[in-house]
Amino acid sequence: MKKFVTYLLVLACDTAMAQSQFETGMQKAFALWTEDKPAEASAVFERIASAEPQNWLPSYYVALVNTTEAFRTQDKKKVPALLAKAQEAQDKAMMIAPDNAELLVMQAMIHTAWIAYDPMTNGMKLSGKVNGLYAKAMKIAPDNPRVVFCKAEFDMGAAAYFGNDTAPMCAEIARAAELFANFKPETPFHPNWGQDRAQQKLEECNK
């Protein structure tokens, strides 16, 4: 009995230490990203992903950091490498959590970044895939604010391109803003981004 209790205590300590290391690593990666050091943040997230092979979050953030940089960079030559790294991490995350709405949004964002990079080549090829991903995400998590907002933002871009009415998308962005206001992430490290962008888009809608 004494050996069994000792085993449980050791197991509990190991679990607590692993959790502490995970939390410390994630906090460090977020801090680097906040300091506008995306490459360094991505590298830390990658190391955490290697140490946490059953946790989709670190790989998700590798994908998110690199996709965000692909949208931001003024150097178009950097985009393919950024999106290749994002896709590699995304594939790992999807193997862990294939029906996760946040990951479906992430994949849609990667495709959208490719469309933005080369609309003539990738627009027709990837737009249908993006719509399919958002449709699946909406079935899984219809009240997830990122699902609602990112779908509306993508639809708005397509509507503006073709000269269609964007009012329905503005209504969805307004709904997303309400959902963001009441959203509670599962943990401090779960996705919780998008509210500022939704408010900005809503203000543009109301002009």
Side-chain angles (χ1 to χ4, degrees), residues 47-62:
R47 288 197 292 272
I48 300 169
S50 295
E52 297 274 343
Q54 298 305 314
N55 190 334
W56 60 273
L57 284 169
S59 291
Y60 168 85
Y61 284 110
V62 175

Side-chain angles (χ1 to χ4, degrees), residues 9-188:
L9 286 171
V10 170
L11 183 63
C13 288
D14 286 347
T15 302
M17 185 177 294
Q19 182 67 13
S20 177
Q21 289 173 344
F22 171 76
E23 290 174 353
T24 300
M26 292 293 281
Q27 288 165 355
K28 179 181 177 181
F30 282 126
L32 287 166
W33 198 12
T34 302
E35 293 165 9
D36 200 21
K37 298 177 180 177
E40 293 89 337
S42 178
V44 174
F45 283 128
E46 285 183 79
R47 288 197 292 272
I48 300 169
S50 295
E52 297 274 343
Q54 298 305 314
N55 190 334
W56 60 273
L57 284 169
S59 291
Y60 168 85
Y61 284 110
V62 175
L64 183 61
V65 168
N66 285 280
T67 302
T68 300
E69 283 307 297
F71 279 115
R72 287 181 57 195
T73 185
Q74 299 298 310
D75 186 352
K76 292 294 184 182
K77 293 179 181 177
K78 293 181 178 179
V79 172
L82 287 166
L83 293 181
K85 182 177 281 290
Q87 189 63 63
E88 181 182 2
Q90 170 70 12
D91 291 344
K92 291 177 182 177
M94 285 293 286
M95 288 180 68
I96 299 166
D99 294 319
N100 185 304
E102 299 283 4
L103 289 174
L104 294 172
V105 169
M106 187 67 254
Q107 183 64 71
M109 288 175 60
I110 294 171
H111 287 334
T112 303
W114 277 117
I115 294 171
Y117 169 69
D118 188 348
M120 295 300 292
T121 301
N122 298 324
M124 290 292 290
K125 182 169 67 175
L126 295 176
S127 291
K129 291 183 179 180
V130 173
N131 287 325
L133 287 161
Y134 282 132
K136 184 176 180 180
M138 285 291 285
K139 287 182 179 179
I140 294 170
D143 293 326
N144 180 301
R146 272 164 301 284
V147 173
V148 176
F149 172 65
C150 291
K151 180 181 185 303
E153 188 177 37
F154 181 78
D155 290 345
M156 180 175 281
Y161 181 80
F162 290 109
N164 297 328
D165 183 16
T166 59
M169 298 84 186
C170 283
E172 280 296 275
I173 289 171
R175 184 166 80 90
E178 292 181 5
L179 291 170
F180 273 119
N182 298 302
F183 181 77
K184 297 287 189 296
E186 187 177 329
T187 72

